[in-house]
Amino acid sequence: MTISKYCASGNDFLIFHSFLEQNRAKMAIKLCNRFYGIGADGMVVLLPYENKDSESREIAYKWEFYNADGSFAGMCGNASRAASLYAFHNKLATQNHSFLSGTGIIDTSITEIVDSKHAYVQSNLGEYTLQGNVVENRRGNVYEFEHIIMRIPHLVYFATSMKEFNLLSNDLEFLSHLRHKYDANINIAIRENDKIYYATFERGVENITQACGTGACAVYVSLRDFSKTYTLIPPSKERLQVFYDSGLIYFSGLVTKVCDCII
């Protein structure tokens, strides 16, 4: 079989399509391993989807999404953009299409085709939900995180200095503690004018990833400034543009086809 590897702003995914719906957790663990497999943050399987008469829009496909540890996730923002470009490359969908994720319908748009392997892709992540704040103590310091549901749960903390940002984003023990206590992705961010630097400790990867799409959107929501587009900069330095329109959160960035792998 052939599996394609795509990278969305630093998040990398293994993607293929199938007619068979099944549990592929063990396969995801094996193939996402960066030493004995191909290596990726997650694995995506695109499956046929029959539209129901009651739906007002056409759904191109549905997906199975697995984290690198084999756990199933309903949604991954950057994976939605990678899957969109894969579907377009393989003639499974048009340049603008919708698909069914575990958290509902996602609308995607390939806004600019750079060449045969690179394109800018936008995803509509929909509405957000505010869950209040949580307070945590760490080595005598008090940190207040905002709990936001952006398809999946996120905690967001804005650092007051780059020193604090680096300290927290490198404190993997603390981030892992928060991730398991609240069953959420943990985001540390810092604002510099209209640019936001952020790092996300992701469930299923259990580490800081090079980028996180839903994390970028959760950080944007935490700003409470929906009047303009913000540039979100993850560890990969590949910038994401996040904006708000009519109650919905959109984000876009570069997606790259890395290679095809014969398994």
Side-chain angles (χ1 to χ4, degrees), residues 21-203:
E21 189 170 356
Q22 65 183 54
N23 188 326
R24 295 179 169 90
K26 291 183 179 179
M27 180 182 184
I29 293 170
K30 183 176 182 180
L31 294 181
C32 291
N33 187 290
R34 295 195 182 277
F35 299 98
Y36 297 101
I38 300 171
D41 290 325
M43 187 179 83
V44 184
V45 186
L46 305 190
L47 298 161
Y49 180 77
E50 294 184 5
N51 293 296
K52 298 178 181 179
D53 294 338
S54 60
E55 294 180 352
S56 59
R57 49 185 164 169
E58 183 178 351
I59 310 302
Y61 52 87
K62 63 180 179 179
W63 80 1
E64 293 172 1
F65 180 82
Y66 300 90
N67 292 310
D69 66 357
S71 59
F72 180 80
M75 182 56 190
C76 175
N78 281 327
S80 73
R81 297 190 302 111
S84 177
L85 186 58
Y86 172 91
F88 177 68
H89 281 165
N90 288 274
K91 297 180 172 53
L92 302 174
T94 59
Q95 194 166 326
N96 303 312
H97 67 268
S98 303
F99 74 90
L100 182 64
S101 75
T103 63
I105 298 172
I106 305 295
D107 300 318
T108 68
S109 177
I110 299 171
T111 58
E112 179 185 349
I113 298 173
V114 179
D115 54 35
S116 62
K117 291 190 174 182
H118 303 83
Y120 286 89
V121 184
Q122 175 181 290
S123 283
N124 173 5
L125 293 190
E127 299 177 340
Y128 63 89
T129 303
L130 304 179
Q131 299 289 96
N133 293 353
V134 300
V135 177
E136 288 287 329
N137 292 279
R138 178 65 167 170
R139 295 173 180 161
N141 296 308
V142 177
Y143 301 104
E144 186 171 359
F145 290 79
E146 184 167 22
H147 190 186
I148 298 169
I149 305 298
M150 193 68 252
R151 294 279 178 169
I152 56 177
H154 283 270
L155 295 185
V156 178
Y157 176 79
F158 270 89
T160 57
S161 67
M162 189 56 73
K163 180 180 179 180
E164 185 183 46
F165 174 83
N166 290 330
L167 177 67
L168 286 174
S169 59
N170 285 289
D171 191 349
L172 299 184
E173 181 183 13
F174 182 45
L175 298 178
S176 179
H177 160 74
L178 295 174
R179 169 264 182 271
H180 286 93
K181 182 175 181 179
Y182 297 101
D183 191 26
N185 294 328
I186 313 301
N187 303 273
I188 309 299
I190 186 167
R191 178 176 180 172
E192 291 189 351
N193 299 317
D194 289 344
K195 298 177 183 177
I196 312 296
Y197 295 87
Y198 77 102
T200 306
F201 188 97
E202 287 200 58
R203 301 182 302 177

